[in-house]
Amino acid sequence: TPKPVLFSGMQPSSDSLQLGNYIGALSQWTKMQEDYDAFFCVVNLHAITVGQDPAELAARTRRTAAQYIAAGIDPAKSTLFVQSQVSAHAELAWVLNTLTGFGEASRMTQFKDKSQRFGADTASVGLFTYPILMAADILLYQAASVPVGEDQRQHVELTRDLATRFNSRFGETFVVPEAQIPQGTAKIYDLQEPTAKMSKSAETEAGLIKVLDPANVTKKKIMRAVTDDEGEIRFDRAAKPGVSNLLTIYSVLSGRTIESIETEYAGRGYGDLKKGLVEVVEESLAPVRNRTEELLADPAELDRLLSGAAARANEVANRTLDTVYERMGL
Ligand code: ADP
Ligand code: NA
């Protein structure tokens, strides 16, 4: 029996992924690729909704793909491809635009948040219809499962509504997907502002652990992480967000329980915990960083892998798009 299909993607919106992407997405995907026919997409068409420098976008697209592979996505097991190399994404997005109500699209909270950065008048229509392109991404592959963060739940709901609507108007065509929001996946917070989620689009980088940063840069950031005046190493998310975040990262990356780390550091200072964490982080990220550099040193080989995957993605996506056009009388 064929494996169920999984689709997920990430924007090439930065030179390096951040630790939260690694823990919350890449490490999860790496485990899931065994049980699914998985499509992992570098969503560069999504990235242009907020403007881009062309040379930078091209480089970031390669770097993002390289980090996927370096973190364990196996191009022999999963289809790892670049969105703009499969034209069906843009075509199905147009079709789905015509099935989406203006009011329905207006209720997407991520647009409201993101457009505030530009002001409603200067935000692009592409940013407004971003969730509809995301629906196309998912539906083209007949994905049953879409691993995403909590902030993407509303977009997957819209995708489900559009799939159901199309199926009832034009006949059974799409699998109605489910968001798979990893339970028990720790949320990682900014080191300088430990109540805000660590994010590659953060305005300042001081609180961001970047996968591709050199070891000494990461060390400096961890040693300067915000803590508190209490001086006691214990987990308390509400009262001690900074220390709790350090304990969470330590625990997730070492595979140890928070309690065993608290016990090890009982009676010691925050500096000791931070030094220990520097080692744990380096041990996890160094192999990913080194492998990424190797892959980027041979761009022709990386491009060959990506175009092979795009060929397979095109085959699957065009099959779905052909059915859609036929059902719609196009
Ligand atoms: P970013 O905010 O860095 O741009 P995205 O919104 O593109 O991240 O999220 C990509 C994936 O990484 C999602 O699956 C999301 O759940 C995961 N992720 C992002 N930030 C974090 C975080 N701080 N902690 C845990 N997982 C995260
Ligand atoms: Na983002």
Side-chain angles (χ1 to χ4, degrees), residues 213-231:
D213 267 351
N216 64 322
V217 172
T218 298
K219 178 178 179 183
K220 219 175 264 175
K221 288 178 178 174
I222 292 173
M223 295 310 292
R224 289 178 185 165
V226 164
T227 50
D228 54 61
D229 297 335
E230 190 192 56

Side-chain angles (χ1 to χ4, degrees), residues 25 36 47 59 70 89-91 104 111 130 143 163 174 184 214 223 233 248 250 265 304 318 321 328:
Y36 290 89
H89 290 253
E91 292 179 75
E104 188 176 31
F111 174 75
Y130 181 112
F174 293 124
M223 295 310 292
I233 296 173
T248 301
Y250 200 126
Y265 285 94
R304 197 190 58 78
N318 286 329
L321 189 67
M328 295 187 84

Side-chain angles (χ1 to χ4, degrees), residues 12-15 51-63:
S13 50
S14 161
D15 283 337
Q52 82 280 14
D53 173 82
E56 196 175 67
L57 178 63
R60 288 175 169 184
T61 299
R62 270 214 195 89
R63 291 172 77 84

Side-chain angles (χ1 to χ4, degrees), residues 7-286:
F7 181 94
S8 201
M10 231 188 283
Q11 291 191 59
S13 50
S14 161
D15 283 337
S16 170
L17 299 180
Q18 46 92 1
L19 188 67
N21 304 135
Y22 176 73
I23 289 172
L26 285 179
S27 313
Q28 310 298 319
W29 296 356
T30 301
K31 284 181 241 154
M32 290 174 194
Q33 72 182 338
E34 309 297 333
D35 301 321
Y36 290 89
D37 180 7
F39 290 82
F40 297 115
C41 187
V42 181
V43 293
N44 57 348
L45 294 175
H46 285 281
I48 65 174
T49 56
V50 292
Q52 82 280 14
D53 173 82
E56 196 175 67
L57 178 63
R60 288 175 169 184
T61 299
R62 270 214 195 89
R63 291 172 77 84
T64 302
Q67 288 172 88
Y68 280 25
I69 298 172
I73 301 298
D74 181 350
K77 287 183 188 153
S78 300
T79 307
L80 163 56
F81 71 105
V82 175
Q83 188 184 29
S84 62
Q85 294 179 7
V86 182
S87 59
H89 290 253
E91 292 179 75
L92 183 61
W94 176 256
V95 167
L96 297 176
N97 270 319
T98 68
L99 297 177
T100 309
F102 185 79
E104 188 176 31
S106 305
R107 286 191 288 276
M108 297 296 117
T109 57
Q110 192 173 79
F111 174 75
K112 290 181 197 167
D113 295 343
K114 284 192 177 174
S115 61
Q116 273 171 5
R117 263 193 271 157
F118 304 94
D121 283 347
T122 40
S124 75
V125 175
L127 186 64
F128 183 68
T129 59
Y130 181 112
I132 301 166
L133 177 59
M134 180 169 159
D137 299 340
I138 296 165
L139 297 180
L140 279 173
Y141 301 95
Q142 307 290 0
S145 173
V146 187
V148 286
E150 184 61 47
D151 57 337
Q152 295 296 318
R153 186 192 288 279
Q154 195 187 29
H155 293 171
V156 179
E157 278 306 314
L158 176 70
T159 305
R160 291 170 56 82
D161 290 345
L162 290 171
T164 308
R165 191 171 305 158
F166 188 99
N167 288 348
S168 71
R169 276 193 209 162
F170 301 105
E172 278 306 309
T173 304
F174 293 124
V175 169
V176 180
E178 302 247 8
Q180 196 172 339
I181 297 175
Q183 289 306 314
T185 301
K187 186 165 172 185
I188 308 303
Y189 295 86
D190 190 279
L191 298 181
Q192 287 301 317
E193 205 186 319
T195 50
K197 161 184 124 87
M198 190 178 285
S199 170
K200 57 179 138 60
S201 41
E203 270 164 34
T204 58
E205 295 208 340
L208 211 54
I209 297 179
K210 296 172 88 172
V211 172
L212 300 183
D213 267 351
N216 64 322
V217 172
T218 298
K219 178 178 179 183
K220 219 175 264 175
K221 288 178 178 174
I222 292 173
M223 295 310 292
R224 289 178 185 165
V226 164
T227 50
D228 54 61
D229 297 335
E230 190 192 56
E232 197 188 327
I233 296 173
R234 63 185 174 86
F235 188 92
D236 183 338
R237 194 59 264 148
K240 298 166 71 67
V243 171
S244 302
N245 189 37
L246 299 178
L247 285 168
T248 301
I249 298 171
Y250 200 126
S251 165
V252 174
L253 294 181
S254 66
R256 290 173 51 188
T257 62
I258 301 244
E259 296 77 62
S260 89
I261 301 162
E262 284 171 337
T263 306
E264 181 186 339
Y265 285 94
R268 296 163 67 185
Y270 294 154
D272 283 350
L273 175 67
K274 288 174 170 179
K275 276 183 209 147
L277 182 60
V278 167
E279 281 175 35
V280 167
V281 169
E282 174 63 6
E283 212 168 289
S284 296
L285 294 189

